């Protein structure tokens, strides 16, 4: 039964050609694998057996020569120090013989030669070396030299000849291994050449088949598609060649018809997109104008609005100082209300101005040492800490990329709020710590104050949100909003950890420097765990408190982790009171 190859489709021809090539290559691969394994064994024998044997045989000869030289030198001098090479040579001889025997499993002839060398060497020691040493020690050098006769020298020459026979046998085994390696290497080269020829022939046949059944029909189809691509969407596309390409041509023609039908919709969509782009451009321009208006508002708030407020506050304070006690009690109260309202309006305008400037007026990020920042914060909050008898501590803090004034404002807000929202019967304690979590530093400000209820954990970061009246805890209610905006401007996030034993802990993240992340990755996991345990504490819910606005410092509530007494080893401590 004859196979009609011409009736085969494209897939059948390609599969048949690939199967034949795969069978041939598989057979060659098997042969090559066998040869490669044999070649590897022969190379191992050459490098790890006969090569070391040759080196060790020479070392064995050197050890024997050291023994003979040491014996003759002792017979001449009678000095026991001259026998040191003899003892070392005997020990080296035994080591080399032991190591050579480990390599002789496949070389029995070399083993026999090694036995002969070992026996002759022992005979020489018993017949010559030991008597010469003993006689020299007992009767002097002249008697010892008398024993070194021509027969004694001949006996050592026999030992040397046995070693040379051993080396000749090792050399012969090594050359045999080298011939085997060359032979299997040549066979491997022949197999690789055959495999290359199979690949070339199969590739040539595949190219011819692809040219007749694929390239030519595709070229015809491409010419017709090109006419459609040039804009002639009415040209009908027809295919030739195998059924697969005829079906492909029909599908392309169907696509042409759909494209022609969709062109009108595309043009309409383009017009809509152009209109939308125009609207977006207008909105962008409007946003630019809005930003300019916002900057103008900030300027007005910082200059024009503050000037009349300063006048109102100044004259009200002047009235308070000059007429205090001269008017009735209600008049003094009204004046106090006016002074307080003007001062609060000034603080509110200043806080709004600071809030609006975050991220817009920038000097660029630099490397900031948070330990130095905490030192500045300690100085800024010194008055409040003296008043409240507060203790401020911090552990070793990292160096990060950021703006130092904003980070100082951030930590000052948190520390000030921790001091402000304190329990009246307990001296405030504030502790700031940091730990590396992934690619971010998690920084915690923990205190022993009134705490925050879980249901208010998100509310406190909203601008002008207060949990207490201004009489209980003064402030504008914008401090934590500033904290949140500074943290987000630096690429981090901030939240309240209500799971603390007492007080509250406010945690925020800042991106770590790549070198810190790499250093943490290089440290053992155990060390990393210990560090994390050192830096952070546990937490539990605490009573709610208003976390907005400082008494005399920038707004912001922090409830960092409770500091241990005196801070961590190597940490910093500021105690006032």
């Amino acid at each position: 039964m004859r196979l009609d190859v011409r009736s085969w489709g494209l897939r059948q021809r390609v599969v048949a050609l690939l199967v034949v090539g795969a069978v041939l290559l598989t057979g060659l691969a098997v042969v090559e694998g066998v040869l490669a394994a044999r070649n590897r064994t022969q190379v191992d024998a050459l490098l790890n057996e006969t090569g070391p044997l040759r080196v060790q045989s020479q070392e064995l000869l050197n050890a024997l020569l050291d023994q003979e030289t040491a014996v003759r030198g002792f017979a001449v001098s009678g000095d026991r120090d001259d026998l040191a090479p003899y003892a070392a040579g005997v020990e080296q001889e035994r080591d080399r013989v032991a190591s050579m025997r480990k390599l002789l499993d496949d070389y029995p002839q070399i083993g026999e030669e090694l036995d002969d060398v070992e026996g002759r060497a022992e005979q020489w020691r018993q017949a010559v070396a030991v008597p010469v040493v003993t006689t020299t020690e007992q009767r002097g050098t002249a008697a010892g030299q008398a024993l070194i006769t021509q027969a004694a020298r001949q006996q050592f020459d026999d030992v040397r000849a046995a070693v040379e026979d051993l080396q000749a046998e090792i050399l012969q085994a090594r050359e045999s291994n080298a011939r085997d390696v060359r032979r299997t290497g040549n066979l491997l080269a022949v197999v690789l050449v055959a495999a290359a020829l199979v690949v070339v022939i199969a590739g040539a046949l595949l190219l011819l088949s692809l040219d007749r059944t694929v390239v030519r029909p595709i070229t015809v189809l491409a010419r017709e598609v090109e006419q459609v691509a040039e804009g002639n969407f009415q040209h009908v596309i027809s295919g030739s060649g195998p059924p697969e390409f005829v079906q492909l041509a029909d599908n392309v023609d169907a696509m042409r018809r759909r494209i022609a039908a969709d062109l009108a919709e595309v043009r309409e969509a383009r017009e809509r997109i152009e209109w939308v782009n125009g609207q977006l451009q207008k909105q962008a321009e409007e946003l630019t104008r809005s930003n300019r208006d916002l900057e103008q508002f900030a300027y007005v708030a910082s200059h024009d609005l503050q000037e009349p407020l300063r006048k109102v506050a100044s004259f009200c304070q002047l009235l308070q100082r000059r007429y205090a006690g001269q008017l009735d009690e209600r008049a003094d109260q009204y004046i106090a209300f006016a002074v307080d309202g003007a001062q609060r309006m000034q603080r509110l305008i200043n806080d709004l101005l600071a809030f609006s400037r975050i991220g817009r007026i920038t000097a660029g990020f630099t490397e900031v040492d948070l330990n130095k920042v905490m030192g500045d914060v300690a100085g800024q909050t010194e008055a409040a800490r003296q008043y409240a008898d507060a203790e401020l501590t911090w552990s070793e803090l990292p160096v990060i990329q950021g703006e130092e004034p904003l980070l100082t404002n951030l930590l000052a807000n948190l520390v000030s709020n921790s001091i402000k929202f304190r329990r009246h019967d307990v001296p405030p304690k504030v502790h700031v710590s940091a730990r590396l979590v992934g690619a971010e530093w998690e920084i915690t400000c923990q205190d022993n104050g009134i705490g925050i209820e879980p249901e208010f954990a998100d509310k406190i970061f909203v601008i002008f949100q207060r949990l207490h009246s201004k009489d209980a805890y003064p402030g504008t209610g914008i401090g934590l909003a500033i904290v949140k905006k500074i943290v987000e401007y630096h690429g981090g996030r901030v939240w309240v950890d209500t799971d603390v034993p007492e007080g509250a802990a406010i945690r925020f993240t800042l991106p770590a420097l790549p070198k810190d992340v790499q250093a943490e990755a290089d440290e053992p996991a155990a060390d990393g765990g210990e560090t994390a345990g050192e830096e952070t504490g546990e937490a539990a819910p605490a009573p709610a408190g208003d976390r907005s606005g400082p008494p005399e410092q920038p707004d912001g509530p922090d409830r960092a982790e409770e500091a241990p007494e005196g801070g961590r080893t190597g940490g910093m401590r500021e105690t006032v009171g």
Side-chain angles (χ1 to χ4, degrees):
M1 181 177 180
R2 297 181 58 189
L3 293 175
D4 188 4
V5 179
R6 291 175 297 180
S7 63
W8 287 8
L10 175 62
R11 178 177 296 176
Q12 291 175 307
R13 296 184 181 185
V14 173
V15 169
L17 182 60
L18 291 178
V19 167
V20 172
V23 170
L24 292 175
L25 289 176
T26 301
L28 291 173
V30 171
V31 174
E32 184 177 355
V34 173
L35 291 175
R38 183 182 301 174
N39 182 262
R40 183 168 56 253
T41 302
Q42 294 166 350
V43 171
D44 288 343
L46 181 64
L47 297 179
N48 300 326
E49 294 178 358
T50 56
L53 282 173
R54 189 177 182 187
V55 174
Q56 292 172 3
S57 66
Q58 183 60 42
E59 293 175 350
L60 177 61
L61 178 59
N62 293 338
L64 293 170
L65 291 174
D66 289 343
Q67 295 177 44
E68 195 268 343
T69 302
V71 169
R72 288 193 291 108
F74 179 69
V76 172
S77 65
D79 188 355
R80 291 292 300 178
D81 293 339
D82 291 338
L83 283 179
Y86 173 77
V90 172
E91 184 66 25
Q92 185 180 12
E93 175 191 348
R94 292 173 181 169
D95 291 342
R96 294 300 173 267
V97 170
S99 61
M100 290 175 70
R101 289 193 183 281
K102 296 178 181 179
L103 305 175
L104 297 180
D105 293 340
D106 298 327
Y107 307 97
Q109 187 63 34
I110 297 178
E112 294 175 1
E113 295 291 342
L114 182 60
D115 292 338
D116 183 53
V117 171
E118 190 175 13
R120 290 177 181 274
E122 184 62 27
Q123 290 175 5
W124 173 81
R125 278 192 292 272
Q126 296 300 326
V128 177
V130 173
V132 169
V133 172
T134 303
T135 301
T136 302
E137 289 178 339
Q138 296 176 354
R139 299 168 55 189
T141 57
Q145 293 178 23
L147 294 179
I148 303 177
T149 62
Q150 183 61 33
R153 294 189 182 91
Q154 181 60 42
Q155 191 170 3
F156 186 78
D157 290 340
D158 293 341
V159 175
R160 183 181 301 176
V163 173
E164 291 175 353
D165 293 340
L166 173 64
Q167 291 179 333
E169 189 66 31
I170 293 174
L171 181 60
Q172 182 178 357
R174 184 177 182 277
E175 290 177 351
S176 177
N177 287 339
R179 286 194 298 271
D180 293 340
V181 170
R182 286 193 293 270
R183 183 165 55 252
T184 54
N186 293 334
L187 290 176
L188 278 174
V190 171
V191 172
L192 289 175
V193 171
L197 290 176
V198 169
V199 171
V200 171
I201 294 172
L205 294 176
L206 183 61
L207 286 176
L208 292 175
S209 177
L210 290 176
D211 182 68
R212 294 184 60 182
T213 58
V214 178
V215 176
R216 294 178 187 178
I218 285 291
T219 302
V220 174
L221 180 60
R223 293 196 188 101
E224 297 191 359
V225 172
E226 185 177 359
Q227 295 185 38
V228 176
E230 290 175 353
N232 185 10
F233 291 99
Q234 304 304 319
H235 178 73
V236 178
I237 299 175
S238 59
S240 61
E244 296 93 337
F245 291 104
V246 175
Q247 182 64 39
L248 175 62
D250 294 340
N251 293 337
V252 173
D253 191 63
M255 181 176 62
R256 174 194 62 81
R257 292 193 298 269
R258 287 195 299 272
I259 291 175
D262 292 343
L263 269 179
E265 296 181 7
V266 171
R267 292 191 183 95
E268 183 180 352
R270 181 183 299 172
E271 293 175 358
R272 288 199 299 268
I273 291 173
E274 291 177 354
W275 180 83
V276 170
N277 286 337
Q279 295 298 315
L280 289 176
Q281 182 66 28
K282 292 179 181 179
Q283 291 180 5
E285 295 174 356
E286 182 65 24
L287 181 61
T288 302
R289 288 193 297 271
S290 176
N291 287 336
R292 287 198 298 267
D293 293 341
L294 180 61
E295 294 177 357
Q296 182 65 25
F297 166 76
Y299 176 81
V300 170
S302 61
H303 295 84
D304 299 349
L305 290 181
Q306 291 191 22
E307 178 60 27
L309 276 175
R310 281 195 295 269
K311 288 184 178 180
V312 170
S314 298
F315 281 105
C316 287
Q317 291 171 348
L318 184 61
L319 285 173
Q320 190 178 40
R321 289 194 300 269
R322 179 168 297 181
Y323 297 103
Q326 301 181 21
L327 303 176
D328 58 12
E329 181 179 353
R330 178 166 296 182
D332 292 340
Q333 186 179 19
Y334 289 163
I335 293 174
F337 286 162
V339 171
D340 180 68
Q343 290 175 345
R344 286 195 294 111
M345 179 62 72
Q346 281 183 320
R347 289 197 299 270
L348 182 62
I349 290 176
N350 288 333
D351 288 346
L352 279 174
L353 180 60
F355 184 81
S356 66
R357 282 178 173 175
I358 296 174
R360 295 192 306 108
I361 301 177
T362 175
F365 282 13
T366 59
E367 290 193 359
V368 179
D369 186 354
L370 294 186
N371 294 292
K372 177 180 178 298
V373 171
M374 280 303 302
D376 296 339
V377 171
Q380 293 181 17
T381 59
E382 182 176 2
R385 288 187 288 115
Q386 287 179 342
Y387 177 78
D389 193 17
E391 178 182 291
L392 171 62
T393 60
W394 63 90
S395 305
E396 184 68 22
L397 299 178
V399 176
I400 65 165
Q401 283 282 341
E403 292 193 29
E404 184 171 345
L406 293 181
L407 295 173
T408 304
N409 191 9
L410 163 65
L411 291 171
N413 269 292
L414 295 178
V415 172
S416 297
N417 269 19
S418 294
I419 297 173
K420 182 202 304 186
F421 296 103
R422 61 186 180 273
R423 290 179 290 174
H424 296 296
D425 57 339
V426 178
K429 291 184 178 182
V430 186
H431 182 67
V432 179
S433 61
R435 66 169 183 168
L436 188 62
V437 180
E440 295 179 322
W441 282 106
E442 181 184 292
I443 301 172
T444 303
C445 182
Q446 182 173 346
D447 59 52
N448 62 344
I450 62 176
I452 302 172
E453 292 291 349
E455 57 266 28
F456 302 118
D458 295 329
K459 182 180 179 181
I460 61 173
F461 293 106
V462 180
I463 191 170
F464 298 132
Q465 290 293 325
R466 301 176 57 89
L467 304 183
H468 297 275
S469 67
K470 66 179 183 295
D471 296 330
Y473 294 99
T476 61
I478 200 174
L480 280 183
I482 291 177
V483 167
K484 182 179 181 182
K485 191 169 183 180
I486 293 175
V487 171
E488 292 177 347
Y489 172 67
H490 285 80
R493 54 193 176 88
V494 61
W495 70 96
V496 177
D497 184 358
T498 57
D499 188 21
V500 290
E502 65 174 344
I506 292 185
R507 307 181 190 275
F508 61 93
T509 62
L510 295 172
L513 297 177
K515 59 183 180 182
D516 293 336
V517 178
Q518 183 62 37
E520 178 72 11
D522 293 340
E523 290 180 357
D527 294 345
E530 292 173 3
T531 302
E534 261 186 342
E535 294 291 331
T536 59
E538 299 191 2
D546 181 7
R547 321 302 292 175
S548 54
E552 297 183 13
Q553 299 294 332
D555 270 349
D558 186 4
R559 298 314 191 212
E561 297 172 317
E562 182 68 13
E565 197 66 18
R568 184 171 66 83
T569 302
M572 302 298 294
R573 178 170 181 163
E574 280 277 340
T575 305
V576 178

